[in-house]
Amino acid sequence: MNARRSAAATPQQDPSAEQDGTRAGRRAQRQAQSQRQGAAARPAPQHQLSAFAGGRLWWHFLIDGAVLAIVLGISILGFGPTFGHDPQYLVAGFGAIALGLGVAALGAHWRLGLISMVGVAFLVYMLFGSALAAPQEAFLGFLPSLDSLRGLLLGIMLSWKQLLTLAPPVGTSVDVMVVPYLSAFVAAVVAGTLAWRLRQAHWALLPVVVLFVTAILFGTAEVFLPVLRGSLLTIGGIAWLAYRHELLRREMAGSISANQQVQDQAGARTALLRRIGMAAGVILVASAVTMAAAPALTQSNDREVLRDTVIPPPDLHALPSPLTKFRDYVKNQKDTVLFTVDGLPKNGRVRIAAMDNYDGVVFNVDPNSSASFAPIGDPKALSQNTDGDGTAVELAIDGYQGVWIPNVAVAGSLNYQSAQGGTPTLYLNKESGTALKLDGVGQGDSYSMDVAFPQVDGNKLAGSDFGRLKLAKLENVPQVVGTKANEIVGEADTPLKKVQALEGALQREGKFSNGLEGQTPSNSGHSAARITKLLSGKEMVGDDEQYATAMVLMARHLGIPARVVMGFYLDEKDSSNGAERIKVKGSDVHAWVEVNFSGLGWVTFNPTPDKDNVPNPPEPQNASKPKPQVLQPPPPPQEPADLPPDSAPDALDTDPKKDNDAGIWGTILLIIGVAAIPILVIAMPLILIVVLKSRRRKKRLTTGLPTDRVGGGWQEVMSLATDLGAGINSSGTRRETAVSLYSAFPATQGTTALLAERADDAIFGPGQPSEEEVATYWQHVDHSVQGMSGSVGFWKRQRAKFSPRSLLADAKARAQSRAFRKGLSKAEAQNKEQERGLRAADSDAGQGGAGMRSKLTKFMKKS
């Protein structure tokens, strides 16, 4: 019973339970459906694809990397003069380029963000920098060490100034090698990232240009292959941009015409050949302009770089001329040991300074060329032009004092040890071989040099011309110098004979005297008055100071590049000459002349006569008997002479500053004009394209019947679409063309369809549209054109503005139209000729001919 009651009760509860279960199921279904809708509404996170996973082939990216490596390498070569063309800087630079492109490729593949890219780049920089930029400090030459890592880390901030404060070559320590390594690495990372992540490839050349300019700014006044490097960089950049532009055009054309099965293969091939020809023409023109303009832009010898601004050159105006101390060595320090020299060969000379500037008072080192004095970077590699076998020479300073460092011939190294300890700052002028220590050379200082003694070939010297150098202009030179020089040289017809004539005349005619006690009086100095007395007196009396000065002044008057050199050397008869160690005293001071010959450099000449050639004793003079003076009457007054009016300009009107400013502005305008040539060459076609398009629009708007102007409005829309790269089927109707443009310009879909419909109504409808309707139609055209231009990016709008595609399409359409009209005219002429033949047949055959013509006409119509 209980079971029956239970069974009976169960059916009574089932409806409610079933209803509850149904409600719960419905709620669960609604919740599941809402979850599915929410999931569908929220886009699932997608993994960003690699930048190399597009439609481009894999070898396209290799071409990008190879081109970037080449142009970056061309930029790195600008550091060559700074490092003395040591191959180590090339290893650091090209290694950094390879690492940077690798980091850029890794970031492009994994789509790394900015912070991640900086972290990876810093890790790679520190990991491989020891082997590339710090081999001297690295363990075993390539493994990171504490010194190499510290140098790489500190060099990020300090190496730039260190590079500018050292004279080239700056050496290969990590303190300076960080500059080419870091700059090339950063430029490669940025260039590769921009090339592989952006569609516009021209941004990738910006870091290349920055690296090129950096090498110039941190370089030297020496220009390293400017024409070749600039031309290769320009040609490579233009060719690569053209290549990338062609790839982008094909990609866009393929996406626009993906649904169009009909393709004009012949037209595409013709367009490709035309683009290749235009690109080749642009490259040739740019190359020619670069080759022509580069010599004019690089001919200046006064090239300013950052090192001249960061570390100003020493002020030579405040330094006395070394030649003014000549008599002091002779009189007061003749027995004083100035310094000791080890390793000086026989007849070797120790130089103090080379002087090429004369102001009428003293000969001195040219203050205007003081910028050539730069701090010595790597003392082991001064990078001077050396000919001959290297010799180790050591000097120990004793009684010598002064700022000019005694050196020997052409030194390839200078390892200086100061008595106070530390590494002093030394300055070197490579052009004159003069070294300088501003705080002065003191007793106890010592240094060693690796010296080359140039050997002069007499046969080459006899046939050599003078070198072409820019020397300081001499001032206040006595007039007797020019007269004496012309008299001495006479008919000498070769450069060497002219110099030997000056040297021989002073040696033969001159008399030697230092003005010491027991010698013939001889004033010291080499001012204009002293040189005048030397050359115009009955006898030439002086020493090295006067004779070297006189010969250089006469040589410079004749246009011969010459300079005075002061230094020390032993007489040939001295027993110590050629010894392993010699002690140089004040009595060993000398001055001589150096003349520059093309291909041989500076050659030494000695105009001073022998010390045995002393002046003759003065002849006795008879006592004179003075006569009484008689007062003479004054001369009669004379009438003033009639002088011509003064036509010379007023001295106040002559302003050298204005002339100088005019010359500077003229040079600036010349440089701007030459630099503007390639810009004009590139800009002229672009300006012509803009003018032609403006003229075409005006003609479409104002010329012809109203229907022609409405059709011109539609053609204006089609021209812009062509310039923007949209694929247009020229054989389609206006409405079909409007439909094909929907995918390219979705924002202007309604406007384009409306323009096509109204153009068909106006052209094929009855009558002519009114002027108001034409104006309204062109307003819609302008609105559509603005919408099409606004739907693309800024750079694409600029390319469309200067694109010649629509102009070429119009020219092609006009050519086809002319050919079609020519064919119609030919057919009409044939028909007229046939009609004339029929009329002639009718006139000859009469009625029968008329019947024949009727039959013939019916036959022709059928045919």
Side-chain angles (χ1 to χ4, degrees), residues 789-798:
S789 299
S791 64
V792 298
F794 172 77
W795 293 109
K796 191 171 182 179
R797 288 198 301 271
Q798 300 306 314

Side-chain angles (χ1 to χ4, degrees), residues 395-397 402 405 414-426 437-448:
L395 280 86
I397 303 299
I405 301 175
L414 177 61
N415 295 319
Y416 198 98
Q417 300 293 329
S418 177
Q420 289 77 21
T423 302
T425 300
L426 308 179
K437 186 172 181 284
L438 291 179
D439 55 354
V441 178
Q443 186 176 9
D445 293 357
S446 61
Y447 50 93
S448 61

Side-chain angles (χ1 to χ4, degrees), residues 96-158:
I97 292 173
L99 292 176
L101 293 177
V103 171
L106 181 65
H109 177 69
W110 293 104
R111 293 286 184 178
L112 299 180
L114 177 61
I115 298 178
S116 301
M117 282 290 294
V118 172
V120 173
F122 179 76
L123 181 63
V124 173
Y125 165 81
M126 296 296 295
L127 184 62
F128 294 93
S130 298
L132 296 176
Q136 298 179 1
E137 294 78 9
F139 181 69
L140 297 180
F142 65 95
L143 296 178
S145 65
L146 183 61
D147 293 337
S148 65
L149 294 178
R150 181 173 60 250
L152 291 171
L153 188 60
L154 296 178
I156 297 176
M157 299 176 293
L158 304 179

Side-chain angles (χ1 to χ4, degrees), residues 312-393:
D315 185 10
L316 300 185
H317 292 87
L319 301 179
S321 170
L323 203 56
T324 58
K325 203 175 179 180
F326 187 88
R327 283 291 176 93
D328 181 66
Y329 287 122
V330 174
K331 289 186 176 182
N332 303 324
Q333 302 185 57
K334 62 178 181 179
D335 296 327
T336 302
V337 177
L338 302 178
F339 47 83
T340 303
V341 185
D342 291 341
L344 187 68
K346 188 175 182 178
N347 297 327
R349 303 189 180 196
V350 179
R351 302 158 55 90
I352 296 297
M355 294 154 283
D356 56 359
N357 179 267
Y358 186 75
D359 58 1
V361 179
V362 293
F363 244 116
N364 205 348
V365 180
D366 183 17
N368 297 323
S369 65
S370 60
S372 299
F373 281 88
I376 296 178
D378 187 0
K380 297 180 181 179
L382 300 185
S383 186
Q384 298 193 77
N385 296 326
T386 58
D387 294 325
D389 298 331
T391 303
V393 178

Side-chain angles (χ1 to χ4, degrees), residues 461 464-467 495-496 499 561 595-603 605:
L461 181 62
S464 178
D465 198 357
F466 295 122
L496 180 59
V499 179
V595 177
N596 190 275
F597 286 87
S598 178
L600 299 176
W602 295 96
V603 180
F605 293 90

Side-chain angles (χ1 to χ4, degrees), residues 76-426:
I76 279 292
L77 293 177
F79 286 104
T82 305
F83 291 89
H85 302 283
D86 192 301
Q88 184 61 39
Y89 93 94
L90 294 177
V91 174
F94 283 96
I97 292 173
L99 292 176
L101 293 177
V103 171
L106 181 65
H109 177 69
W110 293 104
R111 293 286 184 178
L112 299 180
L114 177 61
I115 298 178
S116 301
M117 282 290 294
V118 172
V120 173
F122 179 76
L123 181 63
V124 173
Y125 165 81
M126 296 296 295
L127 184 62
F128 294 93
S130 298
L132 296 176
Q136 298 179 1
E137 294 78 9
F139 181 69
L140 297 180
F142 65 95
L143 296 178
S145 65
L146 183 61
D147 293 337
S148 65
L149 294 178
R150 181 173 60 250
L152 291 171
L153 188 60
L154 296 178
I156 297 176
M157 299 176 293
L158 304 179
S159 61
W160 310 93
K161 182 179 179 181
Q162 185 73 9
L163 183 69
L164 294 176
T165 55
L166 296 178
V170 296
T172 57
S173 64
V174 67
D175 297 333
V176 293
M177 289 296 294
V178 169
V179 174
Y181 173 67
L182 178 60
S183 58
F185 180 73
V186 173
V189 172
V190 177
T193 301
L194 296 177
W196 292 324
R197 292 201 186 190
L198 298 182
R199 295 172 64 88
Q200 307 298 332
H202 55 267
W203 290 108
L205 293 182
L206 181 60
V208 177
V209 176
V210 171
L211 180 61
F212 192 88
V213 175
T214 301
I216 294 176
L217 295 179
F218 286 85
T220 65
E222 178 186 352
V223 184
F224 180 66
L225 300 177
V227 178
L228 179 60
R229 291 174 54 240
S231 301
L232 291 178
L233 184 65
T234 304
I235 295 172
I238 293 177
W240 182 63
L241 289 179
Y243 158 75
R244 286 293 301 266
H245 177 73
E246 177 64 19
L247 292 181
L248 181 61
R249 189 200 63 79
R250 290 187 178 185
E251 181 181 350
M252 294 180 62
S255 63
I256 292 175
S257 58
N259 297 325
Q260 298 181 6
Q261 302 298 326
V262 180
Q263 295 183 358
D264 187 2
Q265 298 293 339
R269 184 165 54 254
T270 303
L272 176 61
L273 294 177
R274 182 171 60 250
R275 287 191 294 272
I276 293 175
M278 292 180 63
V282 171
I283 292 175
L284 290 177
V285 171
S287 304
V289 172
T290 303
M291 291 292 186
L297 297 177
T298 58
Q299 64 183 357
S300 176
N301 295 326
D302 301 330
R303 183 187 181 197
E304 295 183 1
V305 291
L306 284 180
R307 63 179 63 251
D308 297 335
T309 304
V310 175
I311 299 296
D315 185 10
L316 300 185
H317 292 87
L319 301 179
S321 170
L323 203 56
T324 58
K325 203 175 179 180
F326 187 88
R327 283 291 176 93
D328 181 66
Y329 287 122
V330 174
K331 289 186 176 182
N332 303 324
Q333 302 185 57
K334 62 178 181 179
D335 296 327
T336 302
V337 177
L338 302 178
F339 47 83
T340 303
V341 185
D342 291 341
L344 187 68
K346 188 175 182 178
N347 297 327
R349 303 189 180 196
V350 179
R351 302 158 55 90
I352 296 297
M355 294 154 283
D356 56 359
N357 179 267
Y358 186 75
D359 58 1
V361 179
V362 293
F363 244 116
N364 205 348
V365 180
D366 183 17
N368 297 323
S369 65
S370 60
S372 299
F373 281 88
I376 296 178
D378 187 0
K380 297 180 181 179
L382 300 185
S383 186
Q384 298 193 77
N385 296 326
T386 58
D387 294 325
D389 298 331
T391 303
V393 178
E394 298 181 359
L395 280 86
I397 303 299
D398 192 355
Y400 176 82
Q401 293 180 350
V403 297
W404 308 98
I405 301 175
N407 60 89
V408 181
V410 183
S413 65
L414 177 61
N415 295 319
Y416 198 98
Q417 300 293 329
S418 177
Q420 289 77 21
T423 302
T425 300
L426 308 179

Side-chain angles (χ1 to χ4, degrees), residues 599-623:
L600 299 176
W602 295 96
V603 180
T604 301
F605 293 90
N606 302 292
T608 306
D610 294 337
K611 293 183 178 181
D612 298 337
N613 193 2
V614 296
N616 297 322
E619 297 180 358
Q621 299 290 336
N622 296 326

Side-chain angles (χ1 to χ4, degrees), residues 449-505:
M449 296 175 289
D450 185 15
V451 179
F453 295 92
Q455 302 295 328
V456 179
D457 189 346
N459 295 328
K460 292 183 180 179
L461 181 62
S464 178
D465 198 357
F466 295 122
R468 298 182 180 273
L469 302 176
K470 181 181 179 182
L471 300 177
K473 184 178 180 180
L474 306 184
E475 298 178 355
N476 302 323
V477 179
Q479 185 176 0
V480 68
V481 169
T483 304
K484 193 72 173 178
N486 295 330
E487 177 186 342
I488 292 175
V489 171
E491 299 180 356
D493 55 354
T494 64
L496 180 59
K497 289 182 180 180
K498 293 180 181 179
V499 179
Q500 289 176 341
L502 295 175
E503 179 189 37

